[in-house]
Amino acid sequence: MTGRVGAILLAAGLSRRMGTCKQLLQLGGKTVIAHCLESLLAGGVEEVIAVIGPQGDAVAAEALRHPVRIVRTTDPQGDMACSARTGRGALPPNVGGVLIAPCDHPLVTPETVARLIEAHHRDPAAIIIPTHAGRRGHPTCFPRSILDELDDTGTLRDLVRRDPNRLRHLETTDHGVVLDMDTPEDYRRLVEIWGELEGVQK
């Protein structure tokens, strides 16, 4: 038994470089956070915790349109590890694997999420990082026991680097794992890519 697989969606960022709340930007008729949550849920994640910033009422309202739970960080300047620790505290005890999903990667497909879950069940003691064309991306799947190693001063990168023997890479054809959006230029690029993807699917 490997336990259920949950996800922590990191949505507490202040979007300083974007200049507006990137979690609520529109991408193909839905918000960025909606894309992220729908991919996680459609991919088979059984428990999603969305971590919201102290001023994130509108983000929380949008997230709650989906079957997820909301927790808030207490530190508005906190980093990804701070949000991961906050989300970890809300996970049920029967969750054995945890995808850490940044909200600025909205084009990750449900198929990639499903493959990460499958990989976790095959190798439940490993950290699994999706890659595309050899580049590491997101979301990363951590065994709960390793995520529990994250202390108040450490980072998620520290966990990845601590022991190379427990690290696995999962190569994918999903460009979305390496496409993030921090600036208006990034956002415009993702809008173009999304439009191209929709054109292919029609």
Side-chain angles (χ1 to χ4, degrees):
M1 291 287 291
T2 59
R4 304 165 72 204
V5 174
I8 298 172
L9 180 68
L10 308 178
L14 298 176
S15 306
R16 288 191 182 92
R17 286 195 286 164
M18 187 66 74
T20 188
C21 180
K22 59 185 173 184
Q23 296 93 326
L24 298 179
L25 286 172
Q26 289 289 312
L27 188 60
K30 57 178 94 167
T31 60
V32 163
I33 193 170
H35 277 277
C36 295
L37 291 172
E38 289 174 13
S39 285
L40 292 169
L41 293 165
V45 171
E46 297 175 87
E47 183 81 29
V48 179
I49 308 294
V51 182
I52 307 299
Q55 309 299 322
D57 290 347
V59 177
E62 175 67 6
L64 285 173
R65 294 162 61 92
H66 304 79
V68 303
R69 293 195 306 152
I70 302 294
V71 296
R72 292 178 185 267
T73 62
T74 55
D75 181 0
Q77 308 300 325
D79 58 7
M80 289 175 62
C82 176
S83 290
R85 285 191 295 272
T86 301
R88 180 184 62 188
L91 287 170
N94 62 347
V95 168
V98 186
L99 273 66
I100 303 294
C103 198
D104 58 5
H105 281 65
L107 297 188
V108 174
T109 68
E111 291 75 17
T112 295
V113 172
R115 287 192 63 203
L116 285 164
I117 294 172
E118 291 169 4
H120 168 73
H121 286 307
R122 286 195 305 271
D123 197 353
I127 298 171
I128 302 163
I129 300 178
T131 61
H132 177 73
R135 292 176 57 199
R136 290 182 178 182
H138 294 279
T140 294
C141 184
F142 289 89
R144 177 70 170 272
S145 59
I146 293 178
L147 192 60
D148 284 344
E149 296 174 10
L150 187 64
D151 59 24
D152 289 345
T153 59
T155 68
L156 293 167
R157 186 170 296 176
D158 293 335
L159 298 184
V160 170
R161 291 177 172 172
R162 186 165 294 166
D163 182 359
N165 292 320
R166 62 187 188 182
L167 184 61
R168 307 286 183 273
H169 292 105
L170 180 71
E171 179 63 18
T172 77
T173 58
D174 182 1
H175 195 192
V177 302
V178 295
L179 288 173
D180 64 351
M181 44 174 277
D182 292 319
T183 67
E185 291 74 22
D186 294 338
Y187 172 57
R188 286 192 288 272
R189 180 167 59 108
L190 262 62
V191 169
E192 290 177 5
I193 292 172
W194 178 257
E196 293 169 0
L197 291 172
E198 281 200 314
V200 169
Q201 293 169 359
K202 287 180 181 174

